[in-house]
């Protein structure tokens, strides 16, 4: 789950969309263990799961078990509740030991003789190594724990909102969590190097201050039905200390404001290293910028055409205002609930992708500490049983003016493509596929560009497949979502190579993504602490290229379902690894 701001190192099944609410960003959120790991091929080209455990299978199992020990917060979100209440060791010594262990595991994986491995095992080895490289990059090269508050995942939602056990059992887990919050907060405060960039201070306060408010105002009401008075007394004591710790951390961050800097950029070298280590993309930044600008221009041209059809004689901005003025009846939560069944029916009618199961997603309002993001989905991990996925939508910040609050609520067509992204056929459907992998390891780990690339790809794919029957208003909704990600992509490169200021990014969000003032400011800020948020567009473009190449000899659009099913069967590895498996070689990614 992407929580707090788990954008860079998020738990694997919380997928935020793009627009932040009160950010001054949950994955990026955004932070705990970045999206990682591995999936078996469920295709005829791959060998079947061996009947007996081989040395490689034993190694993979051991890696995953130990990984959970190093990252107990991540393990809990996968449904491993023996780790309830635990936090990772965030001391410098603890994180150094984790990096050393990861590097030893990399060497051990490389020591397996590829000649003795079948195709599936060789794929797994490459995937596992890529996961290690990603984690080591964020922990060591990028020094994320010492630079960025979004590294730290402290989200208690699993205990508070996920009904994985009786309320009393979850209260006990929450008490254990709350008792560990002060120690974790102390480690965070000691790790973060000052002075901090202003945007990092702002997101840290949103996250930690929001948690304090959540502990104080929301959590007690959830657990009030538990009648065990001794347990309630223990809860009140532990919760009070957790509130105190979060308020103290929030106050400490506020005290850093006078010395705040704009020193957030990774730099071109480290940004390129990030793309290589985390997503397997080795393309020059100049070329990547050209690719992103080309896609931005394509979508701007399509927006001009759609607006000419929807609002003849009006400017593009007037057209968008007219589209956004049609708000979902009953608000965005009620509107999204109405949209989901129709989207599922469309997938079935058009035969676009298999739907493995009868599960549906619920829609609820976001908890306060997650309202930096307009929408995200919380999908229970593969070790959970019979639990619902929840698509969360944030209300506007109550401190905003009435007009700003009204502007923040998405229009009906904009919300439709958010629902596509989060549920049908975006993240929710993706995890219906990955959670049915025969490999638990494959079910657990999913990468950022794969997951967000797929969900963003799904938006344009649904429009191309006929969603809306050519209605220009719906096309505008799809294009506004695409333009938002286009500007994110270019902002990430520009901000972290020193070619763009935060103010220039904010202006680009207003003028070329047509964002309102609040969202433009928040989007630009997010780019500073989530350099990998280019993965939405980058992942989408890699998937489109792979689809076009793979279907070219298979009937084009008639083979989309076959492509989608095959692509999703991999679970969530780096897209270049999937391309190599499906095409025989990596070749051109874009």
């Amino acid at each position: 789950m992407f929580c707090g701001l788990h954008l860079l190192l998020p738990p694997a099944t919380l997928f935020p969309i793009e627009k932040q609410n009160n950010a001054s960003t949950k994955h990026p959120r955004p932070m705990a263990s970045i999206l990682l790991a591995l999936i078996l091929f469920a295709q005829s080209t791959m060998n079947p799961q061996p009947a007996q455990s081989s040395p490689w299978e034993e190694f993979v199992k051991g890696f995953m078990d130990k990984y959970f020990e190093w990252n107990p917060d991540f393990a809990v979100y996968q449904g491993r509740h023996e780790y309830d209440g635990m936090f990772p060791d965030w001391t410098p010594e603890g994180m150094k030991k984790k990096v050393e262990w990861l590097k030893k595991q990399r060497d051990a994986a490389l020591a397996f003789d590829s000649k003795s491995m079948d195709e599936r095992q060789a794929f797994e080895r490459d995937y596992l190594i890529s996961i290690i490289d990603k984690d080591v990059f964020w922990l060591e090269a990028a020094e994320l724990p010492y630079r960025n508050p979004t590294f730290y995942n402290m989200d208690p939602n699993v205990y508070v909102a996920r009904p994985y056990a009786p309320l009393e059992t979850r209260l006990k887990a929450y008490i254990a969590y709350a008792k560990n919050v002060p120690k974790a907060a102390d480690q965070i405060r000691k790790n973060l190097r000052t002075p901090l960039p202003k945007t990092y201070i702002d997101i840290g306060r949103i996250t930690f201050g929001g948690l304090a408010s959540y502990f104080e105002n929301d959590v007690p009401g959830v657990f009030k039905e538990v009648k065990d008075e001794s347990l309630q007394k223990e809860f009140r004591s532990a919760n009070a200390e957790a509130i105190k710790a979060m308020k103290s951390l929030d106050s400490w961050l506020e005290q850093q404001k006078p010395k705040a800097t704009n020193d957030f950029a990774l730099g071109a070298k480290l940004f390129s290293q990030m793309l290589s280590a985390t997503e397997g993309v080795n393309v020059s930044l100049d070329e990547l910028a050209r690719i992103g600008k080309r896609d931005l221009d394509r979508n701007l041209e399509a927006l001009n055409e759609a607006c000419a059809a929807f609002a003849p004689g009006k400017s593009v901005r007037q057209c968008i205002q007219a589209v956004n003025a049609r708000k979902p009846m009953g608000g965005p939560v009620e509107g999204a609930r109405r949209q989901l069944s129709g989207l599922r029916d469309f997938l079935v009618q058009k035969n676009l992708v298999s739907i493995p199961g009868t599960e549906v997603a619920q829609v609820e309002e976001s908890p306060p500490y997650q309202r930096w993001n307009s929408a995200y989905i919380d999908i229970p991990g593969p070790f959970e049983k019979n639990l619902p996925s929840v698509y969360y939508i944030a209300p506007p910040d109550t401190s905003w003016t009435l007009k700003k609050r009204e502007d923040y609520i998405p229009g009906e067509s904009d919300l439709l493509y958010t629902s596509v992204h989060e549920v049908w056929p975006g993240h929710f459907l993706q995890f219906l596929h990955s959670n049915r992998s025969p490999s638990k390891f494959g079910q657990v780990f999913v990468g950022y560009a794969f997951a967000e690339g797929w969900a963003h790809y799904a938006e344009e794919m649904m429009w191309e497949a006929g969603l809306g029957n050519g209605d220009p208003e719906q096309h505008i909704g799809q294009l506004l979502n695409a333009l938002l990600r286009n500007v994110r992509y270019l902002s990430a490169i520009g901000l972290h190579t020193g070619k763009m200021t935060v103010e220039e990014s904010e202006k680009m969000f207003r003028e070329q993504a047509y964002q309102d003032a609040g969202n433009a400011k928040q989007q630009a800020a997010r780019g500073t602490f989530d350099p990998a948020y280019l993965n939405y567009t980058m992942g989408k473009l890699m998937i489109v290229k792979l689809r076009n190449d793979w279907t070219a000899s298979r009937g084009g659009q008639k083979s989309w379902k076959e492509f989608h099913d095959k692509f999703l069967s991999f679970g969530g590895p780096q897209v270049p690894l999937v391309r190599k498996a499906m095409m025989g070689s990596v070749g051109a990614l874009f």
Side-chain angles (χ1 to χ4, degrees):
M1 285 122 246
F2 293 25
C3 329
L5 173 60
H6 310 330
L7 302 167
L8 306 177
L9 294 174
T13 48
L14 183 57
F15 290 94
I17 191 121
E18 2 291 301
K19 305 169 191 170
Q20 300 153 3
N21 192 339
N22 348 343
S24 280
T25 228
K26 77 213 4 342
H27 223 264
R29 346 150 276 112
M31 211 88 245
S33 192
I34 222 174
L35 303 175
L36 6 146
L38 101 74
I39 195 84
L40 310 181
F41 287 131
Q43 306 297 323
S44 59
T45 57
M46 306 302 291
N47 293 329
Q49 183 81 5
Q52 293 185 345
S53 182
S54 69
W56 174 251
E57 274 69 43
E58 288 296 320
F59 175 78
V60 172
K61 182 180 182 302
F63 175 88
M64 186 167 67
D65 288 343
K66 188 64 176 178
Y67 192 92
F68 285 154
E69 291 181 21
W70 285 112
N71 302 281
D73 51 343
F74 177 79
V76 169
Y77 269 89
Q78 306 313 307
R80 292 289 294 268
H81 292 291
E82 65 268 35
Y83 295 101
D84 277 0
M86 298 182 187
F87 285 88
D89 181 354
W90 284 329
T91 64
E93 297 77 17
M95 289 186 286
K96 181 179 179 182
K97 289 178 182 178
K98 182 189 294 188
V99 169
E100 291 171 351
W101 173 77
L102 286 166
K103 290 179 177 180
K104 288 178 180 178
Q105 293 297 294
R106 192 185 198 280
D107 291 340
L110 285 171
F112 280 85
D113 184 1
S114 60
K115 295 178 181 178
S116 66
M117 305 176 82
D118 61 31
E119 188 177 1
R120 175 189 60 81
Q121 292 171 338
F123 178 83
E124 288 180 356
R125 186 181 68 167
D126 290 346
Y127 197 166
L128 186 134
I129 289 170
S130 74
I131 293 160
I132 292 172
D133 289 346
K134 176 184 56 181
D135 277 12
V136 170
F137 170 80
W138 289 119
L139 289 166
E140 189 174 64
E143 296 186 301
L144 207 65
Y146 308 104
R147 291 171 46 89
N148 196 328
T150 65
F151 171 82
Y152 297 99
N153 172 32
M154 300 187 71
D155 186 11
N157 185 67
V158 66
Y159 312 118
V160 178
R162 185 182 291 178
Y164 68 88
L167 195 61
E168 182 172 323
T169 300
R170 287 160 45 210
L171 176 55
K172 292 176 181 177
Y174 178 84
I175 290 170
Y177 159 90
K179 287 180 176 179
N180 283 323
V181 164
K183 178 180 177 181
D186 183 62
Q187 290 176 348
I188 294 168
R189 182 170 174 171
K190 289 177 178 176
N191 284 345
L192 290 174
R193 297 173 186 155
T194 58
L196 288 164
K198 179 182 182 300
T199 53
Y200 288 27
I201 294 171
D202 290 340
I203 187 55
R205 297 200 63 209
I206 292 277
T207 303
F208 302 132
L211 280 170
S213 174
Y214 186 66
F215 296 162
E216 189 168 21
N217 301 317
D218 296 86
V219 173
V222 172
F223 292 119
K224 67 180 180 180
E225 300 302 322
V226 176
K227 302 303 181 185
D228 187 327
E229 183 51 39
S230 63
L231 205 57
Q232 286 288 358
K233 182 178 179 180
E234 188 178 9
F235 161 71
R236 288 191 293 270
S237 175
N239 201 45
E241 290 302 310
I243 293 167
K244 180 180 177 181
M246 285 295 97
K247 286 184 175 180
S248 177
L249 187 54
D250 179 35
S251 176
W252 176 77
L253 283 168
E254 183 180 24
Q255 293 166 21
Q256 306 312 308
K257 278 189 171 183
K259 297 180 180 179
T261 73
N262 291 314
D263 185 20
F264 56 80
L266 289 176
K269 182 178 179 180
L270 206 56
F271 193 88
S272 292
Q273 188 179 343
M274 175 192 77
L275 296 176
S276 178
T278 67
E279 299 297 345
V281 172
N282 295 288
V283 178
S284 75
L285 296 184
D286 287 343
E287 179 61 18
L288 282 176
R290 284 192 290 271
I291 290 166
K293 181 64 164 56
R294 186 166 64 238
D295 197 57
L296 171 69
D297 290 343
R298 177 181 69 92
N299 285 319
L300 285 171
E301 182 179 356
L303 180 65
N304 285 325
E305 293 174 358
C307 279
F310 177 72
K314 302 286 187 181
S315 69
V316 171
R317 192 164 293 280
Q318 288 172 325
C319 161
I320 291 170
Q321 287 173 347
V323 169
N324 285 336
R326 195 166 74 83
K327 305 298 185 182
M329 187 182 304
V333 170
E334 288 300 320
R337 287 172 179 161
R338 289 192 299 271
Q339 290 171 347
L340 294 188
S341 61
L343 290 172
R344 188 185 189 282
D345 290 345
F346 180 82
L347 290 176
V348 173
Q349 175 194 347
K350 294 292 186 177
N351 200 29
L352 289 171
V353 61
S354 296
I355 301 177
T358 59
E359 297 95 323
V360 295
Q362 299 177 0
V363 189
E364 302 292 346
E365 188 174 282
S366 303
Y369 64 96
Q370 296 289 26
R371 291 178 183 172
W372 62 269
N373 219 357
S374 69
Y376 65 96
I377 190 164
D378 183 1
I379 302 172
F383 292 92
E384 302 283 21
K385 301 296 180 185
N386 302 317
L387 294 181
S389 295
V390 183
Y391 166 22
Y392 288 105
I393 300 175
D397 188 338
T398 55
S399 69
W400 290 350
T401 64
L402 177 61
K403 184 180 185 307
K404 193 172 181 180
R405 294 199 303 270
E406 289 175 345
D407 288 345
Y408 183 81
I409 296 172
E412 183 78 27
S413 63
D414 190 352
L415 179 65
L416 178 66
Y417 283 92
T418 299
S419 297
V420 167
H421 182 105
E422 298 297 343
V423 185
W424 298 119
H427 294 310
F428 179 69
L429 178 64
Q430 177 203 328
F431 275 86
L432 291 184
H433 280 263
S434 67
N435 281 346
R436 283 164 170 79
S437 166
S439 165
K440 270 290 188 289
F441 196 63
Q443 295 171 17
V444 165
F445 300 106
V446 178
Y448 195 170
F450 186 102
E452 295 301 353
W454 166 261
H456 185 34
Y457 161 84
E459 300 162 24
E460 186 168 343
M461 182 274 291
M462 290 285 275
W463 169 255
E464 291 175 325
L467 183 64
N469 296 313
D471 178 5
E473 182 179 1
Q474 285 205 17
H475 196 195
I476 292 165
Q478 180 261 313
L479 289 165
L480 289 175
N481 279 275
L483 288 166
L484 178 65
R485 277 52 161 273
N486 285 141
V487 176
R488 239 194 229 160
Y489 176 106
L490 293 169
S491 289
I493 297 173
L495 288 167
H496 287 277
T497 58
K499 296 180 179 180
M500 182 184 291
T501 66
V502 175
E503 292 73 24
E504 288 169 339
S505 171
E506 183 179 337
K507 182 180 179 182
M508 193 176 186
F509 277 110
R510 288 197 312 269
E511 296 181 353
Q512 299 195 54
Y514 294 94
Q515 294 297 299
D516 62 85
N519 270 318
K521 183 178 180 65
Q522 294 164 354
Q523 287 296 312
R526 177 174 169 180
T528 67
F529 51 75
D530 180 19
Y533 81 160
L534 86 165
N535 276 329
Y536 294 80
T537 291
M538 189 175 77
K540 178 198 75 172
L541 294 176
M542 288 192 288
I543 294 169
V544 169
K545 179 67 162 61
L546 174 57
R547 182 195 70 191
N548 292 344
D549 290 348
W550 192 85
T551 61
S553 60
R554 294 173 173 85
Q557 188 166 342
K558 290 186 290 187
S559 60
W560 276 14
K561 179 180 181 181
E562 184 183 358
F563 169 77
H564 294 150
D565 287 354
K566 188 174 181 68
F567 182 81
L568 291 175
S569 75
F570 290 87
Q574 293 179 350
V575 177
L577 287 178
V578 180
R579 182 177 180 88
K580 181 179 179 182
M582 293 182 69
M583 300 297 298
S585 63
V586 174
L589 295 174
F590 303 97

